[in-house]
Amino acid sequence: MEENKKAINETEAVAMLHQFNEDLLPKKFGKIGKAWVALLCAVFLLGVYCYIIQLRRGLVITGMRDFVFWGIYISNFVFFVAISLVGSLVTAILYLLKVSWRAPLTRLSEIIAVAAIIFAGLIIIVDMGRPDRVVNMVLHGRIQSPIIWDVMVVSTYMVLSILLLYFPLLPGISFCRDHLKGIPKWQKRMYTILSLGWKNKPEQYKLVKKAITILSVMIIPVALCIHTVTSWLFASTYRPGWDSTNFGAYFVSGAFLVGSGGVVAGMYLLRRFNPSYEKYLTNTHFDRMGKLLVLLAVVYAYFSINEYLIPAYKMKGEEAHHLHELFTGYYAPMFWSVQFFGMILPIIVLLFKRGRRPFPMFIMAVLVIVCAWFKRYLIVIPSMSFLPVQEIPEAWKHYSPTLMEWAITGGSLAGALLVITFFIRYFPIISVWEVAEEKGVSTDIIYKHLHEGNEK
Amino acid sequence: MKQEEINDKGRRDFLKTAAIATIATTACGSLACSCSSKKAAVAEKVRLLSPDGEIVEIDSVYLNHHENMAVLSKHEQRMGIPGKKFVMVVDLARCKNARKCVTACQKWHYRPEETEWLTVKLMKDSDKAAPYWFPKQCFHCDNPPCVKVCPVNATFKRQDGLVLIDNERCIGCKFCMAACPYSTRVFNWSDPEIPFDIKDLPYSAETGVPARVGTVEKCDFCPDRAREGLLPPCVEACPNGVFYFGDENEDTVSNGDETLSFSQLIKDRSAYRFQEELGTKPRVYYLPPKDRQFPVERGYENLPDKLKARFKDVMEESHLLEKK
């Protein structure tokens, strides 16, 4: 890298910057893009419609009842919180470690984090019996309750993530403001407002960089907190499968894994639908992310062994009942497929160089994400169902989500994807100045020339 | 009929003093008084707050207490009945699953059929042990996991030992249901059907009515009845005197028939608390099902099919029922 830096002279660098700007400006969607947006909107609106029905009729429209009182809303919440952790991993941890290939991935991972954490906050309200009283959390909040901790850390994380997305984006927004041609008036105005009068001055960059460093340091403990506290919502109870001191670490390690899977899937799709990104999201990036995924999956495997095999060694009372359901009982097919396809298979495939090419990586990433979703289902639901109970109607012992519940949950997933999609449509998803810096263009040249339009 | 008389007598024996104290408390807290000349004169004056905001002194003769109309302030509901420490003892040897307690509870609290605050389970401690009937309600734990986790203080522990829920504050997060190791709490999944006569009653955490959609509820030990010097409906309804309810401070518990010393009873009969190892410190004690008064089948035979289904597994396991 050092040699590279010296080799780039000013003219080359300027040409490079222009090229970057050319390649990375947000573009109008083609047919597939529009169809994708239409599909997401439809799913999202269906979810909203079903939620309105739920508001009018109560949670009775779900498959939840007195025995299984938390369902896919909660497991989906855990999934959202989990995937949002990747923002802190790529933008903060890799940034502070000065990993040289992170720049093109930061914004993608940060928008995943922001979209996920917003919908985590929304879906938890969907699960509430009385969303109209949400203000009671402020009026009568009790600091002893893990839910209040969760509200505090999730909102803090949301703010930090939005800032960590927004500050490095300022040069990009101002470039869009000045150089995007043929855009509607509202879009121009949006850029003008959001760019906060960015003038591309060296002092402004210095401030932004300082802010990124501070935010990066701040967001790491908060990120660990959001998922640890989420795990405590379960671990602070007495139920088999939840009553575990391993839960915090187990949740956090799983979260990094699914989040990285999300970034890899995003990288692949970006390249697939906009070939000009291939120069920035190179095969090397996939290779590195592949290695990172292996590491994270191995760490996750370690905590999974702690979580399941040690209680299984003892086979204590209710815990044994729970583990039997998971290992050999009703949930066994789901449990073992999730363990195999979501953890073991990715480790094996990604250990090989050929497995770390974009397409196999994409397949593995999708597996990791889908299995992670069902893994959260397996963490939340079996602890409540199939325990020996007598006083309730037979149908209440089992839980299967209703169509309405699926629609609302699907709507939340579509909503998060919509946020990401709209972001890609209107903002540069790869940060030009950071990539340029990483490629060895000196900061002076960036400050001076980055903002020049390509027409010059 | 006879049973009722006995119940009545026992009830009067018990909590006699509480009854007197309660009249004063209710009277102060409520504006619900009306004149009545039928009662014998007692030379006692009671000070009341009139609807105009003036303090008036009235002869207690003219007070007429109206059930369910006592309006306690939120603060009073949260503090509890001063000087009391409610406790319950359940004699497992006497239970034959007559389910009178369940019906009485459902009726008193206007509960729909499918959710029971008080349930009777068929317990079996180990493979070869004989099953026994096990009535289970909220244990009103002294170290209540549900209260710890409530984010808005909607469920709370009172100084008289009760754990209650304020359904006007509950946000319906269901965390307390997750935290309760005894699955004692139930949720109003849909708009509850509220009978006409209680529709307009002011809500009180002590009565739990009227119920509200999207909130949690559970057994409340009927403090509204205790304020009137009455035993909870489950205790009164039980034909076998399974439940003893009382005050730990007074060291008395009564099942309507007999009033006993609480400490002596739990000592003599080796009382235990359900899942003591959890450390929740329940306020309900169980007397072990030793020398049972009824064969366990007695509680199964006459049940409607719907209820039989609940216990079929255990009955079959214990070879009390032929497998089909």
Side-chain angles (χ1 to χ4, degrees):
Chain A
M1 271 332 243
E2 276 304 308
E3 286 166 27
N4 249 350
K5 255 180 202 171
K6 276 168 202 160
I8 297 174
N9 64 36
E10 189 163 344
T11 17
E12 271 175 16
V14 173
M16 211 161 142
L17 278 179
H18 287 176
Q19 187 60 44
F20 287 174
N21 278 333
E22 170 85 35
D23 290 342
L24 300 177
L25 265 186
K27 289 183 182 65
K28 277 200 179 119
F29 282 161
K31 261 184 202 156
I32 299 176
K34 278 177 186 154
W36 171 244
V37 172
L39 174 75
L40 289 180
C41 283
V43 176
F44 179 68
L45 289 177
L46 179 69
V48 172
Y49 173 71
C50 289
Y51 182 56
I52 292 170
I53 295 177
Q54 181 184 308
L55 280 179
R56 291 169 67 171
R57 293 184 46 199
L59 284 167
V60 72
I61 64 146
T62 69
M64 299 186 276
R65 286 299 177 267
D66 284 344
F67 228 76
V68 185
F69 46 82
W70 281 350
I72 51 173
Y73 294 158
I74 295 285
S75 69
N76 195 40
F77 163 75
V78 177
F79 174 80
F80 272 134
V81 176
I83 203 163
S84 80
L85 247 67
V86 73
S88 72
L89 175 72
V90 175
T91 33
I93 298 179
L94 298 188
Y95 170 79
L96 292 175
L97 290 174
K98 298 196 167 50
V99 171
S100 60
W101 46 270
R102 56 168 269 286
L105 311 183
T106 48
R107 198 160 288 162
L108 176 63
S109 58
E110 208 51 51
I111 186 63
I112 291 176
V114 168
I117 202 73
I118 288 172
F119 277 87
L122 292 177
I123 198 75
I124 202 78
I125 292 176
V126 167
D127 185 67
M128 279 169 53
R130 299 300 297 236
D132 52 318
R133 295 181 183 168
V134 73
V135 71
N136 280 6
M137 301 241 239
V138 182
L139 296 179
H140 305 289
R142 276 173 85 248
I143 198 72
Q144 299 95 316
S145 170
I147 286 191
I148 296 294
W149 310 339
D150 217 26
V151 170
M152 290 192 296
V153 287
V154 165
S155 49
T156 310
Y157 188 74
M158 193 187 295
V159 171
L160 288 181
S161 294
I162 289 172
L163 292 180
L164 207 42
L165 174 72
Y166 185 45
F167 287 155
L169 186 61
L170 283 169
I173 300 175
S174 74
F175 191 87
C176 290
R177 175 194 62 194
D178 299 341
H179 298 290
L180 267 189
K181 292 283 175 299
I183 55 171
K185 225 174 179 181
W186 66 266
Q187 198 178 338
K188 188 120 191 153
R189 200 191 283 150
M190 175 182 76
Y191 290 138
T192 314
I193 295 169
L194 286 178
S195 61
L196 299 179
W198 180 268
K199 291 201 177 70
N200 218 45
K201 285 183 178 157
E203 308 90 79
Q204 288 180 315
Y205 275 102
K206 265 174 210 150
L207 276 176
V208 161
K209 280 186 184 172
K210 205 172 187 178
I212 295 174
T213 312
I214 295 171
L215 286 170
S216 299
V217 173
M218 279 167 72
I219 205 167
I220 293 171
V222 179
L224 292 180
C225 281
I226 54 166
H227 220 37
T228 309
V229 171
T230 302
S231 83
W232 287 347
L233 296 183
F234 305 100
S236 59
T237 71
Y238 296 78
R239 286 175 188 267
W242 293 354
D243 182 6
S244 158
T245 48
N246 182 44
F247 244 36
Y250 174 55
F251 268 47
V252 170
S253 61
F256 281 143
L257 178 64
V258 56
S260 306
V263 170
V264 171
M267 282 159 65
Y268 180 83
L269 291 174
L270 282 180
R271 266 171 58 129
R272 176 78 183 68
F273 292 105
N274 188 346
S276 63
Y277 287 145
E278 271 175 34
K279 273 181 270 174
Y280 307 93
L281 303 165
T282 63
N283 287 3
T284 323
H285 286 100
F286 280 90
D287 184 67
R288 299 273 162 82
M289 278 306 285
K291 287 174 180 166
L292 185 63
L293 266 177
V294 172
L295 172 71
L296 294 170
V298 169
V299 174
Y300 189 45
Y302 167 76
F303 285 112
S304 295
I305 288 170
N306 276 285
E307 183 56 35
Y308 292 105
L309 293 192
I310 294 307
Y313 186 87
K314 290 178 281 192
M315 279 296 174
K316 195 175 94 187
E318 278 187 331
E319 198 78 44
H321 187 90
H322 173 69
L323 289 172
H324 277 306
E325 287 296 345
L326 289 184
F327 291 169
T328 55
Y330 180 80
Y331 293 104
M334 197 196 273
F335 180 80
W336 292 113
S337 8
V338 158
Q339 298 291 358
F340 181 74
F341 293 109
M343 194 168 71
I344 299 167
L345 188 66
I347 293 179
I348 297 169
V349 170
L350 301 181
L351 273 179
F352 297 98
K353 201 165 174 61
R354 293 180 61 185
R356 292 195 298 270
R357 286 171 308 164
F359 186 67
M361 281 278 292
F362 174 65
I363 298 293
M364 288 305 120
V366 171
L367 275 182
V368 163
I369 298 168
V370 173
C371 288
W373 196 92
F374 283 98
K375 188 64 199 287
R376 268 84 199 150
Y377 182 91
L378 286 173
I379 289 174
V380 174
I381 283 98
S383 282
M384 294 175 288
S385 53
F386 289 103
L387 292 175
V389 282
Q390 295 168 345
E391 77 274 24
I392 56 172
E394 196 60 27
W396 291 21
K397 292 184 194 175
H398 310 259
Y399 167 75
S400 48
T402 58
L403 284 177
M404 294 256 207
E405 226 173 333
W406 280 117
I408 293 172
T409 308
S412 73
L413 291 166
L417 286 172
L418 260 186
V419 170
I420 299 171
T421 308
F422 280 130
F423 185 85
I424 293 170
R425 168 66 185 83
Y426 293 111
F427 298 98
I429 189 66
I430 293 176
S431 172
V432 176
W433 67 276
E434 284 176 286
V435 170
E437 253 182 36
E438 205 176 83
K439 295 238 172 183
V441 180
S442 80
T443 43
D444 297 336
I445 297 174
I446 295 175
Y447 302 157
K448 210 166 134 194
H449 298 287
L450 178 73
H451 213 58
E452 292 167 0
N454 298 340
E455 62 272 16
K456 279 189 187 174
Chain B
M1 278 298 121
K2 197 182 169 198
Q3 195 60 50
E4 252 167 48
E5 276 169 34
I6 295 170
N7 277 347
D8 230 22
K9 193 161 162 278
R11 189 170 65 200
R12 250 177 275 132
D13 286 347
F14 171 67
L15 293 180
K16 204 187 286 170
T17 41
I20 295 164
T22 314
I23 290 169
T25 329
T26 358
C28 293
S30 97
L31 303 172
C33 67
S34 65
C35 292
S36 155
S37 53
K38 286 173 194 165
K39 289 186 179 171
V42 181
E44 196 184 358
K45 298 277 181 192
V46 178
R47 300 179 86 195
L48 291 176
L49 190 65
S50 78
D52 311 327
E54 286 168 25
I55 292 174
V56 289
E57 205 164 74
I58 292 177
D59 197 309
S60 65
V61 174
Y62 298 114
L63 290 179
N64 194 0
H65 176 64
H66 285 253
E67 224 177 315
N68 279 335
M69 279 193 65
V71 182
L72 292 171
S73 72
K74 286 270 176 203
H75 180 72
E76 280 171 303
Q77 290 170 26
R78 282 175 177 267
M79 289 311 284
I81 305 172
K84 294 283 171 190
K85 200 93 189 157
F86 293 110
V87 73
M88 190 178 263
V89 182
V90 181
D91 188 349
L92 296 174
R94 291 183 181 181
C95 181
K96 63 160 190 186
N97 194 25
R99 293 181 61 78
K100 297 278 185 265
C101 53
V102 181
T103 345
C105 175
Q106 301 288 94
K107 198 176 158 204
W108 179 255
H109 294 106
Y110 305 91
R111 298 298 311 145
E113 203 190 333
E114 65 270 22
T115 53
E116 297 168 359
W117 283 4
L118 167 62
T119 68
V120 184
K121 289 169 190 289
L122 185 54
M123 281 290 246
K124 201 178 167 204
D125 291 338
S126 60
D127 269 356
K128 300 223 164 101
Y132 56 91
W133 297 108
F134 184 86
K136 187 180 122 308
Q137 62 283 75
C138 176
F139 292 154
H140 296 269
C141 307
D142 279 345
N143 181 19
C146 51
V147 171
K148 275 192 218 168
V149 300
C150 179
V152 295
N153 211 355
T155 186
F156 49 87
K157 179 80 179 166
R158 311 201 305 178
Q159 62 180 20
D160 58 8
L162 301 195
V163 173
L164 297 186
I165 302 167
D166 179 356
N167 84 6
E168 287 178 333
R169 186 183 284 188
C170 175
I171 58 169
C173 68
K174 297 167 274 172
F175 199 6
C176 54
M177 298 174 77
C180 175
Y182 314 110
S183 304
T184 207
R185 292 174 164 249
V186 295
F187 192 74
N188 285 309
W189 296 97
S190 56
D191 231 332
E193 272 178 44
I194 300 170
F196 185 74
D197 50 328
I198 57 160
K199 215 154 211 160
D200 298 324
L201 277 187
Y203 172 77
S204 162
E206 291 205 344
T207 57
V209 289
R212 280 195 176 83
V213 65
T215 59
V216 178
E217 52 184 42
K218 65 164 189 70
C219 155
D220 55 12
F221 265 13
C222 301
D224 51 328
R225 309 240 326 163
R227 280 190 196 272
E228 293 168 32
L230 299 172
L231 290 166
C234 53
V235 180
E236 283 192 351
C238 181
N240 304 316
V242 170
F243 301 92
Y244 292 84
F245 185 76
D247 181 0
E248 198 179 336
N249 289 344
E250 274 179 18
D251 197 26
T252 49
V253 285
S254 169
N255 65 355
D257 291 337
E258 49 180 0
T259 303
L260 303 172
S261 154
F262 165 68
S263 55
Q264 204 60 42
L265 181 65
I266 64 168
K267 217 180 280 172
D268 292 349
R269 301 279 302 275
S270 332
Y272 72 98
R273 295 189 292 191
F274 188 57
Q275 293 186 326
E276 182 78 51
E277 71 276 10
L278 295 178
T280 51
K281 304 197 174 86
R283 298 203 64 76
V284 174
Y285 290 76
Y286 285 97
L287 305 178
K290 191 177 164 271
D291 302 330
R292 269 176 262 169
Q293 297 187 354
F294 307 96
V296 92
E297 301 91 310
R298 189 80 73 80
Y300 182 81
E301 282 154 7
N302 299 324
L303 290 180
D305 286 348
K306 215 165 121 197
L307 291 171
K308 269 186 177 164
R310 295 183 183 180
F311 311 113
K312 226 173 114 204
D313 292 354
V314 183
M315 293 296 283
E316 283 173 356
E317 238 173 67
S318 322
H319 307 292
L320 293 169
L321 192 71
E322 261 182 55
K323 268 188 194 176
K324 276 170 198 166

